[in-house]
Amino acid sequence: MSSLKNVADLAGVSVATVSRVLNSDEVVKYETKVKVMNAIKTLKYSPNRVAQRLRTTRKSSRLIGLLIPDIQNPFYVDVIRGIEVFAYANNAAVVIGNFSQDEKKEKLYLDILKSESVDGFIVAPSNEKDIYIKELVKDGFPVVCIDRGLSDIEVDLVKVDNQKGAFNAIEHLIKLQHTRIGHITGNQLIPTTMERLAGYEQALKQYNIAIDPEIIVSRESDYESGAELAAYLLDLENPPTAIFTGNNLLTLGALETINKRGLKIPEDIAIIGFDDVYWANSLNPPLTAVRQPGFEIGKRAMELLIQRILSPEREVASIIYKTELMIRKSCGSKEKRL
Amino acid sequence: MSSLKNVADLAGVSVATVSRVLNSDEVVKYETKVKVMNAIKTLKYSPNRVAQRLRTTRKSSRLIGLLIPDIQNPFYVDVIRGIEVFAYANNAAVVIGNFSQDEKKEKLYLDILKSESVDGFIVAPSNEKDIYIKELVKDGFPVVCIDRGLSDIEVDLVKVDNQKGAFNAIEHLIKLQHTRIGHITGNQLIPTTMERLAGYEQALKQYNIAIDPEIIVSRESDYESGAELAAYLLDLENPPTAIFTGNNLLTLGALETINKRGLKIPEDIAIIGFDDVYWANSLNPPLTAVRQPGFEIGKRAMELLIQRILSPEREVASIIYKTELMIRKSCGSKEKRL
DNA sequence: CTGAAAGCGCTTACAG
DNA sequence: CTGAAAGCGCTTACAG
């Protein structure tokens, strides 16, 4: 790979001049510029991003650090796609860290990313008090949070109105005459879990349905928990007629249990999930779900991050997207139940 | 963030010495080492990976470039997980490029990764002749290919026996008395597509079933193609009784069409897919599929890459994993059909 | 308009 | 056993 020096030699100018034309500094004379451009072309020169990054300031060639709790969750792959498309358009590369909801791993990745001098971070904090992320923000690194915010500290945030989304889901179920609605929540340390639970409770209250703690169950936010907690719910003496699952993975797990028992959806048990998937129609019956715009969330987060890098002093932004209730067939239809 | 210089000053030694203890150079005197260690601890010093990378040689702090055709495909997320876990254990970070089967984007990412001075590449070439990847190999960069090889050039490769996997799938169908088996293949420019097609044809031949080109259909390797091609197959005057789909996305798409038409699986139409997913049991009925060990593939690729970086001259390795036929319920059972 | 020089944070061959 | 110095490939303030 050729260097600035090589280009300079070939063009018969100094490295400073070459650097100037690369950074489109207006001062350089037209003829010089042409000579340099030609040299660049014949050497197929392209700047070394590592060297650029070692300098304190730079305008382009960014590297973005991404800290994701679980890459197996399709919601996050949508987010990643959004980030990546926008990054690509901005000549930025992204370093990815998947910490699997493991704080030790989160810390290690954070350290690696810091020492890679990334220009900024996009992270989903493991919880509201996440000290590592807080430290990052305090230390003045550009960071934007996705999906989950941070308490007691100002930070850019892009997420969804979880409470409203859950409320809509439960309301939908209620209008379909369900009154005994179970809720499989995610890990209760994760802020979104609590917001969705709040939406669930709010809907029940509003429609004067008593909240029964027996049918609100919780463990981790993963597939196995979904499967096991669904089994628990179905084994109850007075089982729910509908289940609201707190995320993608939980939904899929619950579905396994329901299928395994040969239960019919929605006749035997209705199900509505938080998080939509692009293959919701491949499920039988198609899944009714609360859709988060993952791609848009990623894209917006990347935009905010670039802004933040450019103007560290701009006010903190909090972008709350609306969810969309994707009504398909897993909750039944009004006619049927009436 | 503190630098080598800061540590050196605090410890009262030169930066060279600090660097030596960091790189556990045996020569440094015990007392000096202790002083330096303390300084490192009090300053919470951690080396700048960018500066390290700017130096030509280094032993740790690697950066790995990953070029993936489609992050929406669950197979690749398994691969990524495998890569990432092994990378993490080796203090390596991974920069990810998702090129969506778009050659322009592939080229751009490759350029970015090169100028980030990554220590090596793990890539799934867009096809066997992929000139960019070939160039990379010729230029002496450490690269290991996954899923798809390269023609006319020696390169480390980790993949699966696609032909055998497809053969097994078709044989399974045949033993279940299916004789009219449709095949929705992926993009025919992708090597794996052709290998799977070869397995399909081999099985039919071996069991003396005529190959009917009418029921071998192909477009892209994505969801929409799966949905549309399944519709095409089902609309045929003499439609197949079973469909073999060439990958994950194709399977999901076909499932949507089958569900939409209210067809029963496996009674009305049997389906077997290449690629398993962790939520295959959440499908109704559970999907019979050819499983590729994605996680292991990723892990192995990362191992090979590290070896390659350490000894660029070692012989080229070609690791072919076996697939596993995951028999569930989407193809019916022998008893039923007999 | 252009060049020489300093410096970003490291590592390592060379002296001593 | 340790330090001074060169150099990796850039950018930019300072001269001219």
Side-chain angles (χ1 to χ4, degrees):
Chain A
M1 305 220 69
S2 44
S3 70
L4 254 202
K5 182 82 175 51
N6 299 330
V7 177
D9 289 349
L10 183 60
V13 297
S14 73
V15 293
T17 301
V18 178
S19 176
R20 288 195 188 96
V21 350
L22 281 169
N23 296 291
S24 38
D25 188 333
E26 294 297 327
V27 299
V28 8
K29 198 167 53 170
Y30 181 72
E31 291 94 79
T32 318
K33 193 167 166 177
V34 172
K35 274 193 298 183
V36 172
M37 298 286 243
N38 285 333
I40 289 176
K41 200 171 279 175
T42 78
L43 289 176
K44 288 187 190 161
Y45 170 77
S46 113
N48 181 318
R49 295 167 66 104
V50 180
Q52 289 182 317
R53 192 159 327 110
L54 194 54
R55 302 279 333 209
T56 35
T57 56
R58 88 216 73 96
K59 330 184 182 96
S60 54
S61 312
R62 305 193 186 296
L63 220 211
I64 302 299
L66 179 56
L67 226 50
I68 286 291
D70 185 1
I71 203 184
Q72 290 230 51
N73 184 328
F75 166 64
Y76 286 115
V77 348
D78 282 343
V79 173
I80 295 173
R81 283 175 48 238
I83 289 172
E84 194 247 339
V85 164
F86 199 76
Y88 166 78
N90 283 271
N91 191 33
V94 357
V95 192
I96 199 167
N98 171 228
F99 63 89
S100 313
Q101 204 68 29
D102 168 350
E103 295 210 10
K104 272 229 289 285
K105 202 164 168 184
E106 180 186 2
K107 171 86 167 83
L108 183 117
Y109 268 125
L110 226 34
D111 286 343
I112 291 185
L113 294 180
K114 269 198 253 181
S115 68
E116 284 288 355
S117 302
V118 298
D119 300 280
F121 297 80
I122 295 181
V123 300
S126 60
N127 63 66
E128 281 193 299
K129 305 193 194 316
D130 196 314
I131 50 170
Y132 303 127
I133 310 291
K134 280 190 175 181
E135 219 177 82
L136 206 61
V137 178
K138 276 185 204 144
D139 289 348
F141 290 98
V143 0
V144 358
C145 290
I146 47 174
D147 196 36
R148 313 152 178 199
L150 244 29
S151 56
D152 311 322
I153 198 162
E154 299 263 273
V155 63
D156 286 330
L157 172 62
V158 185
K159 58 176 286 201
V160 116
D161 189 339
N162 286 292
Q163 179 163 348
K164 188 73 194 308
F167 179 91
N168 293 154
I170 304 305
E171 185 173 52
H172 175 67
L173 250 16
I174 293 174
K175 291 197 169 158
L176 257 21
Q177 316 298 322
H178 286 283
T179 53
R180 189 152 176 81
I181 303 170
H183 182 16
I184 300 180
T185 84
N187 178 328
Q188 305 234 2
L189 260 25
I190 304 174
T192 48
T193 297
M194 301 317 286
E195 295 168 16
R196 292 169 196 177
L197 176 57
Y200 165 88
E201 294 182 337
Q202 184 196 344
L204 293 185
K205 269 185 205 138
Q206 184 160 324
Y207 286 90
N208 291 311
I209 299 175
I211 292 169
D212 180 356
E214 195 190 30
I215 55 175
I216 300 177
V217 291
S218 158
R219 183 136 82 236
E220 291 303 321
S221 298
D222 58 17
Y223 187 95
E224 289 71 35
S225 301
E228 290 165 21
L229 294 173
Y232 171 86
L233 246 25
L234 293 171
D235 283 338
L236 250 27
E237 208 161 302
N238 181 12
T241 63
I243 295 178
F244 169 48
T245 42
N247 83 0
N248 258 337
L249 271 19
L250 261 10
T251 308
L252 260 7
L255 248 19
E256 164 165 352
T257 297
I258 293 172
N259 285 166
K260 195 182 289 170
R261 299 191 171 201
L263 263 23
K264 281 212 147 254
I265 300 174
E267 293 81 357
D268 299 328
I269 181 79
I271 182 166
I272 188 166
F274 208 102
D275 287 335
D276 197 23
V277 286
Y278 66 90
W279 35 268
N281 281 314
S282 313
L283 260 11
N284 177 19
L287 180 74
T288 295
V290 179
R291 177 179 180 271
Q292 296 196 66
F295 186 89
E296 288 77 12
I297 290 175
K299 192 158 164 285
R300 198 79 181 82
M302 189 67 194
E303 272 175 35
L304 282 183
L305 184 58
I306 297 216
Q307 280 179 23
R308 167 72 54 206
I309 293 169
L310 261 22
S311 46
E313 300 308 329
R314 84 142 158 66
E315 270 188 42
V316 162
S318 196
I319 314 281
I320 315 283
Y321 279 96
K322 280 205 186 93
T323 57
E324 188 182 352
L325 185 61
M326 308 298 288
I327 299 181
R328 286 185 279 242
K329 308 210 164 136
S330 65
C331 298
S333 58
K334 197 153 185 174
E335 303 70 39
K336 277 229 181 109
R337 293 193 70 86
L338 281 177
Chain B
M1 306 221 66
S2 45
S3 70
L4 254 202
K5 183 83 176 52
N6 299 328
V7 177
D9 288 350
L10 182 61
V13 298
S14 73
V15 293
T17 301
V18 179
S19 176
R20 288 198 187 92
V21 350
L22 281 169
N23 296 291
S24 39
D25 188 333
E26 295 297 328
V27 299
V28 8
K29 197 166 53 168
Y30 181 72
E31 293 95 78
T32 319
K33 194 169 167 174
V34 173
K35 276 193 297 183
V36 172
M37 299 285 242
N38 286 332
I40 288 175
K41 200 171 280 175
T42 77
L43 289 176
K44 290 188 188 159
Y45 169 77
S46 117
N48 181 317
R49 295 168 65 105
V50 180
Q52 289 181 319
R53 191 157 328 110
L54 193 55
R55 300 278 332 206
T56 34
T57 56
R58 86 217 75 98
K59 328 183 183 95
S60 53
S61 311
R62 304 191 188 296
L63 221 210
I64 303 299
L66 177 56
L67 225 50
I68 286 292
D70 184 2
I71 204 185
Q72 289 230 54
N73 184 329
F75 166 65
Y76 286 114
V77 347
D78 283 343
V79 173
I80 295 174
R81 282 175 49 238
I83 290 173
E84 193 248 340
V85 164
F86 199 76
Y88 165 79
N90 283 271
N91 191 32
V94 358
V95 192
I96 200 169
N98 171 229
F99 64 90
S100 313
Q101 206 66 30
D102 167 349
E103 295 211 10
K104 271 228 290 284
K105 203 164 167 184
E106 179 186 3
K107 172 84 168 86
L108 183 118
Y109 269 124
L110 228 33
D111 286 342
I112 292 186
L113 295 179
K114 268 199 254 179
S115 68
E116 284 289 355
S117 302
V118 298
D119 299 280
F121 297 80
I122 295 180
V123 298
S126 59
N127 63 66
E128 280 194 299
K129 307 196 193 314
D130 195 316
I131 48 168
Y132 304 127
I133 310 291
K134 280 191 174 179
E135 217 176 84
L136 206 61
V137 179
K138 276 187 204 143
D139 289 348
F141 289 97
V143 358
V144 0
C145 290
I146 47 174
D147 194 37
R148 312 152 178 198
L150 244 28
S151 57
D152 311 321
I153 198 162
E154 298 262 274
V155 63
D156 286 331
L157 172 62
V158 185
K159 56 175 286 198
V160 115
D161 189 340
N162 286 293
Q163 180 165 348
K164 189 76 193 307
F167 178 93
N168 293 155
I170 303 305
E171 185 172 52
H172 175 67
L173 249 17
I174 293 174
K175 292 196 169 157
L176 257 21
Q177 315 299 323
H178 286 284
T179 53
R180 189 152 176 81
I181 303 170
H183 183 15
I184 300 180
T185 84
N187 178 327
Q188 305 235 5
L189 259 23
I190 304 174
T192 49
T193 297
M194 300 319 285
E195 295 167 17
R196 292 168 196 177
L197 176 56
Y200 164 87
E201 294 182 339
Q202 184 197 344
L204 293 186
K205 269 185 205 139
Q206 184 160 323
Y207 285 89
N208 291 311
I209 299 175
I211 293 170
D212 180 356
E214 194 189 30
I215 55 176
I216 301 177
V217 290
S218 158
R219 181 136 80 235
E220 292 303 320
S221 297
D222 57 17
Y223 187 94
E224 289 70 36
S225 302
E228 290 166 21
L229 294 174
Y232 171 85
L233 246 25
L234 293 171
D235 283 339
L236 249 27
E237 207 161 302
N238 181 11
T241 63
I243 295 179
F244 170 48
T245 41
N247 83 359
N248 259 336
L249 272 18
L250 260 10
T251 309
L252 261 7
L255 248 20
E256 164 164 350
T257 296
I258 294 171
N259 286 166
K260 194 182 291 171
R261 299 191 172 201
L263 262 23
K264 282 210 147 254
I265 300 173
E267 293 81 356
D268 298 330
I269 182 79
I271 181 165
I272 189 166
F274 208 101
D275 287 336
D276 198 22
V277 286
Y278 65 90
W279 35 268
N281 280 313
S282 311
L283 260 10
N284 178 18
L287 181 74
T288 294
V290 179
R291 177 179 179 272
Q292 297 195 66
F295 187 88
E296 289 75 13
I297 290 175
K299 192 158 163 288
R300 198 80 182 83
M302 190 68 194
E303 273 175 38
L304 282 184
L305 183 59
I306 297 218
Q307 281 180 24
R308 167 73 52 207
I309 292 168
L310 261 24
S311 47
E313 299 308 328
R314 84 143 158 67
E315 270 187 41
V316 162
S318 198
I319 315 280
I320 314 283
Y321 279 98
K322 279 204 183 94
T323 56
E324 187 183 354
L325 186 60
M326 309 299 288
I327 299 181
R328 286 185 281 243
K329 307 208 165 138
S330 64
C331 300
S333 59
K334 197 156 185 173
E335 301 72 39
K336 277 225 183 116
R337 292 195 70 90
L338 280 177

